[in-house]
Amino acid sequence: MAEPYPAALAALVSQVGPVEAAELVRAGEVSPSVASQTSARRTEERAREDLERIARVGGRLVIPEDDEWPRWPFVALGVAAGRCGGEPLALWVRGPHDLGEAAEKAVAVVGSRAASGYGEHVAGEFSFGLAQAGVAVVSGAAYGIDGAAHRGALGGGGLTVAVLACGVDVAYPAGHQGLLAKISREGLVVSEYAPGVTPARHRFLTRNRLIAALGGGTVVVEAGRRSGAKNTAAITLALGRPLMVVPGPVTSASSAGCHELLRDGQAVSVSSVAEVVESVGRFGDDLATEPAEKDSALGAPQGEAMRVYEALGRRCGVSDEVVSVESGVPLERVRALLPELELAGLALRVDGGWQKLEVR
């Protein structure tokens, strides 16, 4: 009856329920604001046809009353409705998984259609790692970054969700027909638009709010200064979700939008799957660990060993006797401790005696 997102119609549905709202719209007994959103289609009867069509492709209509409805992810849409459009009235879904469960731990990965090889590689690697970490990858099935993200998640044996700006039975873009078919078998294909609806520019902008809402945060891999990915980034911020970007070469126009978001302090930089999971994960459970560094297998030296260690030369070797004098540790004990420090990776025997290796 209306093109998403119909704020006036949604308000009517919230007041009287969807069944009575539909009857009022068909009868023309609605406010001017609702009439302006529904008058062009109010006499069309497509419900049965749409349900039969979705059934033929193994899909379903998911509504807010269903257990599968992702209630918590969509709460933010209701709060930020004035800035980015509110909660959808219903969703058409293909795929064997529960949409609500998929959205419990999910990340949106988006970016430029005209992606570079670097961007596609990073999107694929990140999505592969997220999938293996049990995080669903949400994207828009477009060429470039979106496609690489979906393929990476499938390659990692995980779940990916493709949110379309057309019916879930419409293969768009045509070059992703095989990819969308695979996602519908192994992941989820989702849309606000009824079966058979074709894509249009305004529908891409509208569906971006669903991508941002279904993800616990958004990773922008590549984006120009004016792009759909930046639109999704703006919606992510409006929803209060973490916004992450992958830095690229400063000479790359494909990364200009990412660098702009960083410079304006709107996003955080991420360079690993662990950092993404930490940004969107549960507090205390998904913290990224520091990169492994050289450290003593025995930990930091203590007592006399610490005194001997501190007496070692930084740039050149010193003799056992000098170490003994500097540390105040008897010479025999120094000669016993130095090989232990060497085995622990804290001391190095050189021509002039012994040299310190810094503890990290």
Side-chain angles (χ1 to χ4, degrees):
M1 286 186 167
E3 194 73 17
Y5 169 71
L9 178 59
L12 177 62
V13 170
S14 68
Q15 292 169 7
V16 302
V19 176
E20 185 176 344
E23 292 173 352
L24 291 172
V25 169
R26 290 192 184 100
E29 299 173 358
V30 293
S31 67
S33 58
V34 175
S36 68
Q37 294 175 348
T38 59
S39 59
R41 301 175 183 169
R42 70 182 182 88
T43 60
E44 295 190 16
E45 292 279 356
R46 295 189 181 180
R48 185 181 300 276
E49 177 187 344
D50 288 341
L51 291 171
E52 290 175 350
R53 190 164 183 167
I54 195 68
R56 285 198 295 270
V57 295
R60 58 197 180 275
L61 180 67
V62 179
I63 59 176
E65 291 80 7
D66 291 335
D67 292 338
E68 185 179 358
W69 188 257
R71 290 174 181 79
W72 179 247
F74 285 163
V75 166
L77 281 177
V79 174
R83 287 176 288 172
C84 59
E87 183 174 351
L89 295 175
L91 292 172
W92 302 89
V93 180
R94 293 178 67 188
H97 299 276
D98 184 292
L99 179 60
E101 291 180 0
E104 286 181 1
K105 192 170 186 180
V107 172
V109 179
V110 299
S112 174
R113 288 175 172 81
S116 68
Y118 160 80
E120 291 194 0
H121 172 76
V122 170
E125 288 293 309
F126 272 34
S127 298
F128 182 93
L130 288 168
Q132 293 203 316
V135 180
V137 174
V138 183
S139 198
Y143 290 130
I145 298 301
D146 289 13
H150 291 307
R151 286 189 288 269
L154 291 170
L159 174 58
T160 188
V161 181
V163 185
L164 306 187
C166 56
V168 295
D169 60 338
V170 177
Y172 185 88
H176 279 173
Q177 181 174 359
L179 176 61
L180 286 167
K182 186 175 179 65
I183 296 172
S184 69
R185 293 192 303 268
E186 301 178 17
L188 289 167
V189 180
V190 179
S191 179
E192 274 185 285
Y193 299 98
V197 173
T198 56
R201 181 176 175 80
H202 67 277
R203 290 173 179 154
F204 286 101
L205 296 177
T206 301
R207 71 89 194 262
N208 286 347
R209 82 187 197 288
L210 298 184
I211 294 176
L214 288 171
T218 298
V219 180
V220 182
V221 178
E222 283 186 325
R225 285 194 167 88
R226 295 175 60 85
S227 65
K230 282 201 70 179
N231 173 256
T232 307
I235 295 171
T236 300
L237 293 172
L239 297 178
R241 304 279 171 81
L243 178 61
M244 300 153 277
V245 300
V246 177
V250 296
T251 54
S252 172
S254 297
S255 293
C258 293
H259 298 155
E260 193 172 79
L261 290 168
L262 283 174
R263 187 172 62 251
D264 294 343
Q266 296 180 302
V268 297
S269 171
V270 289
S271 58
S272 69
V273 171
E275 291 174 357
V276 174
V277 174
E278 180 183 81
S279 295
V280 303
R282 294 177 176 86
F283 184 76
D285 292 339
D286 299 304
L287 299 179
T289 57
E290 292 294 325
E293 295 182 344
K294 185 176 180 179
D295 200 352
S296 165
L298 303 177
Q302 304 292 327
E304 289 183 337
M306 173 59 79
R307 289 159 57 189
V308 170
Y309 172 76
E310 292 297 333
L312 298 177
R314 290 180 179 274
R315 295 183 176 84
C316 59
V318 294
S319 67
D320 301 359
E321 291 79 8
V322 171
V323 172
S324 177
V325 172
E326 288 294 325
S327 65
V329 177
L331 182 60
E332 295 78 8
R333 181 64 177 153
V334 167
R335 287 172 174 166
L337 287 171
L338 284 171
E340 293 183 13
L341 292 173
E342 183 180 26
L343 287 172
L346 298 172
L348 179 66
R349 193 191 304 266
V350 295
D351 291 341
W354 292 88
Q355 185 176 341
K356 177 189 295 186
L357 295 178
E358 296 294 336
V359 179
R360 295 185 179 182

